[in-house]
Amino acid sequence: MELRVLNYFLAIAREQSIVHAAESLHLSQPTLSTQIKNLEQELGKQLFIRGTKGSRKITLTEEGMILRKRAEEILDLVKKAENEIRLTDDIVIGDVCIGAGETDGVRLIAKTAKILQSRYPGIRYHISSGNASLVSEYLDKGLIDFGVIFGEVDLKKYNALEMPFQDTWGVLMRRDSPLAARDSIRPRDLYDVPLILSQQEAQGGSLTQWLGREPDQLNIAATYNLIFNASLLVDEGLGYAVALDRIINTTGESSLCFRPLEPALVNKMHIIWKKYQVFSKPVEKFLEALRGALKQDT
């Protein structure tokens, strides 16, 4: 499987048309069709469902959707490697890729990047949001350099720096909600109310252990991946979102408020990277600056 052909495949998936993809690639339509047929023969799977005469729109098969995801990852990784290798020894230019959940702890990442900005303006930072499993997956595939995660770290796979932050769990709710009159929220307060949980916690985790109930025993009205979207559901009265503090602004004229859990449920935070990983110069400079920033905060 050649990288060139993967680019062809992605062009067709993007344009949903062999004609338009051929135009964007500056290839003839028969040449492009032949390349894709050869790819399907190589894999032994049909990748596209060709449209009828009335509709020439091309859609991906299930196998095609899998290949699209993997092809994008492969080509992103190749591009990242090429950029790192092209750099000269005396110039620090390149990318630092970080995966993180939604947390106020990202401020330390931002402060470190700001410190480096004046010295190395050629470093670019790319932040990908996701839960711990997605961050670990991206890290293992080499798509990111660092991951910011909560909880314990598998030190057999990763190096880690503990960050001087602890994220506190609580409940995001409307100010006119019955539970808003409380200073804190206990497990029994959430047993019968509609809950909006993160997708990871809705499958079972530290929160359900704190509640003392399995997910199927809870009234889960919705799940979320990004807390901002969950806050809109809360604002419309769909339910109570169990989330981390200091992510959604609940001050001033906000219609929302936040109440911590009691007993308190907090998460330690670490920034991790793969063991034995070979860093590019920008990544080395960032890690060096991050260690310095951590020493100042401790």
Side-chain angles (χ1 to χ4, degrees), residues 187-188 190-192 204-205 207-219:
R188 63 176 177 270
L190 302 179
Y191 286 165
D192 299 317
L207 177 62
T208 51
Q209 291 179 17
W210 179 87
L211 285 167
R213 291 195 171 186
E214 293 300 317
D216 59 4
Q217 297 174 301
L218 301 171
N219 179 9

Side-chain angles (χ1 to χ4, degrees), residues 50-93:
R50 277 72 175 176
T52 61
K53 289 184 178 179
S55 172
R56 297 194 175 188
K57 181 178 178 181
I58 290 179
T59 57
L60 291 168
T61 63
E62 183 177 350
E63 292 79 9
M65 288 187 284
I66 294 172
L67 181 61
R68 179 176 187 171
K69 179 182 178 183
R70 299 307 180 196
E72 288 172 343
E73 293 173 352
I74 290 168
L75 293 175
D76 283 346
L77 194 57
V78 169
K79 183 178 179 181
K80 186 171 182 283
E82 289 175 343
N83 289 338
E84 292 173 358
I85 292 170
R86 287 194 185 106
L87 300 180
T88 61
D89 292 337
D90 56 345
I91 299 177
V92 180
I93 299 175

